Amino acid sequence: MEESKVKDLTAYKNRFEEDASSFSEFQARDFVKELKNQGKTDEAIEVGRTFLEMAPELKGYINYFGYALYNKYINIDDEEISKNESLFYGILEEIAKYCKQERYSPLEAAVNKAIKHVLKANPVDYKKLSELLDYLDAPALEDKPFVNKDGKEFESKKEKWYRMKVRALYELESYRACVETANIAFTYNLKWHYNNLNWVKYYRASSLVELGRYEEAENEFIALQGHFNAVDSFEILYKLYMNTNREDDAYTLLIDKFFKGGFDYKNIEDYKKISAMAKAKSQDKAHALAECLIKKLEEENGKTYEADVDLADYADLTASDAFDRVYSEVVYHLENYITRHEGKVVFYNHDKNFGSIFQDGEENLFFRQADFLDDEEVEKYDVVEYSVIKTYDRKRQQMSSKAVLLKVLYEEINY
């Protein structure tokens, strides 16, 4: 099989030297294309820049000129980029100035290379990332997922753009733009991958908090809770409630977590919140015991803690003993901390261990057996005491509520 012959460019070179502006559209395209394909990158760049100056009406060679720039200055090792980042970004700007976002254009490849470079830095320069993303027209990006040769599916270019742009805007404290960009992303019929959709929702909701749109933010975080483990929605909701004068909601959420979390050093920040709650509610004994729990637990883990009360009466307690006493003071005296309600169980499924409580004029309130304070046998017509937290009904795709921290008061047959 004969090797393909290398095209002789002598005629083009002579003509270029005589009058670069005399080239036709085809000739200019063919000249720069052949220079690039023959590995004569520097010449291709020089010729391309000359055409830009001498024959601005010519367009067909632009992408070949852009790829010559890409090959020489953009598609290089990160170490080489770091040696002269101003040159790297200057060439990228040149490519973006002349090359449109279209098929056979080097623009997307050049921007993606720059994005990868930025994302490798610690910390990430989100201002630079946002600027790079702005080189691309997001609506025009491919929205079909990428599938590799092994058949594995990955995010589409459009999905990736919105994922990164929303994050960048949040980190730059451009909260309104973050919300608006996320809203636009939701209008596309994208097939979301990994946790990308949840991350977009998270940064949107976090921006809503900063904008003071608390109800919208609350609903989003509740919808994410228990569904998106990459972030701690409890911490966010707790702060949101405390900062919007909704202490009862914050404390209900806190005690429910304390009840379920048990004794574990990883819960130390929750114990500190319990201590602060007891102090705020003037529950001196619970406050002192919580301070004792924190101090003992920190000491058992090689750390120190300065309690804000005298712990002489509890000096002999271990951290585990202190936890048990705090638990009794809080969980069995809930009326001292949070709003309690009474209601009657009108439905209970013994197989699935869930049921509902009658609410006059409202939809019955859902509960689970696991949310009872004690291991009680729940039956229909039991009158129970409980507190309420907001939740998200995934089956109905809407906000809802459920009963937590329940205990049976008595049984009432007549209904």
Side-chain angles (χ1 to χ4, degrees):
M1 184 175 179
E2 291 186 18
E3 294 184 8
S4 58
K5 294 182 179 180
V6 176
K7 187 170 184 177
D8 184 358
L9 301 178
T10 303
Y12 281 151
K13 290 181 180 181
N14 291 336
R15 184 168 189 167
F16 182 78
E17 291 294 331
E18 292 175 5
D19 184 6
S21 64
S22 67
F23 275 71
S24 68
E25 191 73 55
F26 171 79
Q27 290 168 340
R29 175 180 179 276
D30 192 45
F31 188 23
V32 178
K33 174 185 176 182
E34 285 297 326
L35 286 171
K36 183 191 77 68
N37 290 346
Q38 292 179 25
K40 299 175 181 178
T41 305
D42 291 339
E43 289 184 60
I45 293 171
E46 181 187 353
V47 169
R49 285 175 173 163
T50 302
F51 282 149
L52 287 170
E53 181 181 353
M54 303 295 293
E57 73 281 0
L58 300 177
K59 304 297 181 185
Y61 70 92
I62 291 290
N63 284 337
Y64 294 107
F65 163 65
Y67 264 114
L69 290 171
Y70 172 81
N71 291 336
K72 182 174 177 64
Y73 297 106
I74 303 296
N75 192 27
I76 56 179
D77 294 338
D78 284 292
E79 185 177 343
E80 291 299 313
I81 295 173
S82 299
K83 288 178 180 178
N84 195 343
E85 286 191 342
S86 61
L87 175 62
F88 175 80
Y89 289 118
I91 295 298
L92 175 61
E93 186 174 353
E94 186 175 4
I95 292 173
K97 180 179 179 180
Y98 297 113
C99 298
K100 296 180 180 179
Q101 185 176 314
E102 59 187 2
R103 192 177 184 185
Y104 304 124
S105 166
L107 179 61
E108 285 188 40
V111 172
N112 287 334
K113 178 66 177 182
I115 287 172
K116 288 179 181 178
H117 178 69
V118 168
L119 292 177
K120 288 179 180 178
N122 187 18
V124 172
D125 183 345
Y126 284 101
K127 184 174 185 298
K128 175 59 71 174
L129 176 61
S130 184
E131 291 172 353
L132 293 173
L133 290 168
D134 285 342
Y135 280 130
L136 301 175
D137 177 24
L141 289 171
E142 177 64 60
D143 59 4
K144 292 182 180 179
F146 171 74
V147 179
N148 68 12
K149 61 181 181 180
D150 297 322
K152 188 174 181 180
E153 187 173 285
F154 297 88
E155 63 186 350
S156 67
K157 293 178 180 179
K158 187 175 291 184
E159 177 187 357
K160 182 179 179 181
W161 190 95
Y162 279 103
R163 168 177 64 82
M164 291 190 292
K165 187 64 175 181
V166 168
R167 170 72 183 273
L169 290 170
Y170 173 76
E171 297 292 350
L172 293 172
E173 300 182 3
S174 300
Y175 301 121
R176 191 173 302 280
C178 178
V179 172
E180 292 171 353
T181 302
N183 290 344
I184 292 172
F186 298 152
T187 65
Y188 293 109
N189 187 28
L190 295 175
K191 182 178 181 181
W192 294 91
H193 297 75
Y194 323 116
N195 269 318
N196 287 351
L197 178 58
N198 288 330
W199 278 116
V200 171
K201 289 180 177 179
Y202 167 76
Y203 288 116
R204 177 183 180 277
S206 297
S207 294
L208 288 171
V209 172
E210 300 296 335
L211 294 170
R213 293 161 61 178
Y214 299 117
E215 184 176 357
E216 292 178 76
E218 176 192 6
N219 290 342
E220 193 69 85
F221 283 124
I222 288 172
L224 288 171
Q225 196 171 34
H227 179 66
F228 183 42
N229 296 326
V231 297
D232 189 349
S233 292
F234 163 78
E235 287 291 340
I236 298 165
L237 287 169
Y238 182 82
K239 290 177 182 177
L240 190 156
Y241 292 151
M242 292 297 287
N243 291 330
T244 54
N245 300 314
R246 294 171 60 186
E247 289 186 352
D248 193 69
D249 291 325
Y251 291 154
T252 301
L253 207 62
L254 172 62
I255 296 173
D256 184 53
K257 189 181 181 191
F258 175 70
F259 161 64
K260 295 173 180 175
F263 176 62
D264 196 313
Y265 182 69
K266 70 180 182 181
N267 297 328
I268 190 75
E269 294 303 318
D270 294 337
Y271 303 154
K272 291 177 182 179
K273 292 182 179 67
I274 290 290
S275 176
M277 176 189 70
K279 183 177 182 179
K281 291 292 185 177
S282 300
Q283 299 299 310
D284 296 339
K285 185 177 180 181
H287 172 53
L289 284 166
E291 287 291 287
C292 178
L293 164 62
I294 298 164
K295 182 176 178 62
K296 297 286 186 177
L297 196 54
E298 291 283 30
E299 290 174 350
E300 289 179 8
N301 285 273
K303 300 180 180 180
T304 59
Y305 178 78
E306 292 296 326
D308 63 2
V309 293
D310 184 2
L311 300 180
D313 293 342
Y314 309 108
D316 295 333
L317 292 181
T318 65
S320 179
D321 293 335
F323 173 82
D324 291 340
R325 294 185 62 175
V326 173
Y327 186 92
S328 295
E329 286 295 320
V330 174
V331 174
Y332 293 113
H333 298 87
L334 293 172
E335 67 281 356
N336 294 331
Y337 305 95
I338 57 178
T339 301
R340 302 291 281 163
H341 308 274
E342 285 189 19
K344 186 179 295 185
V345 175
V346 291
F347 168 77
Y348 186 69
N349 186 317
H350 285 274
D351 294 327
K352 297 184 178 180
N353 296 319
F354 66 77
S356 57
I357 300 168
F358 174 75
Q359 292 191 115
D360 189 18
E362 297 182 47
E363 186 174 341
N364 292 341
L365 189 65
F366 177 81
F367 71 85
R368 291 189 180 278
Q369 170 72 52
D371 288 314
F372 275 79
L373 300 177
D374 297 307
D375 188 18
E376 300 177 276
E377 289 292 331
V378 184
E379 298 290 345
K380 187 177 180 180
Y381 304 130
D382 281 347
V383 174
V384 296
E385 184 180 87
Y386 60 92
S387 294
V388 178
I389 63 173
K390 291 182 70 174
T391 186
Y392 186 75
D393 188 332
R394 300 200 179 283
K395 185 175 181 180
R396 299 182 182 181
Q397 296 288 297
Q398 64 185 30
M399 299 307 299
S400 185
S401 298
K402 71 173 182 177
V404 295
L405 303 168
L406 299 100
K407 68 176 181 179
V408 175
L409 297 178
Y410 55 88
E411 183 183 29
E412 184 177 318
I413 300 299
N414 295 323
Y415 185 73

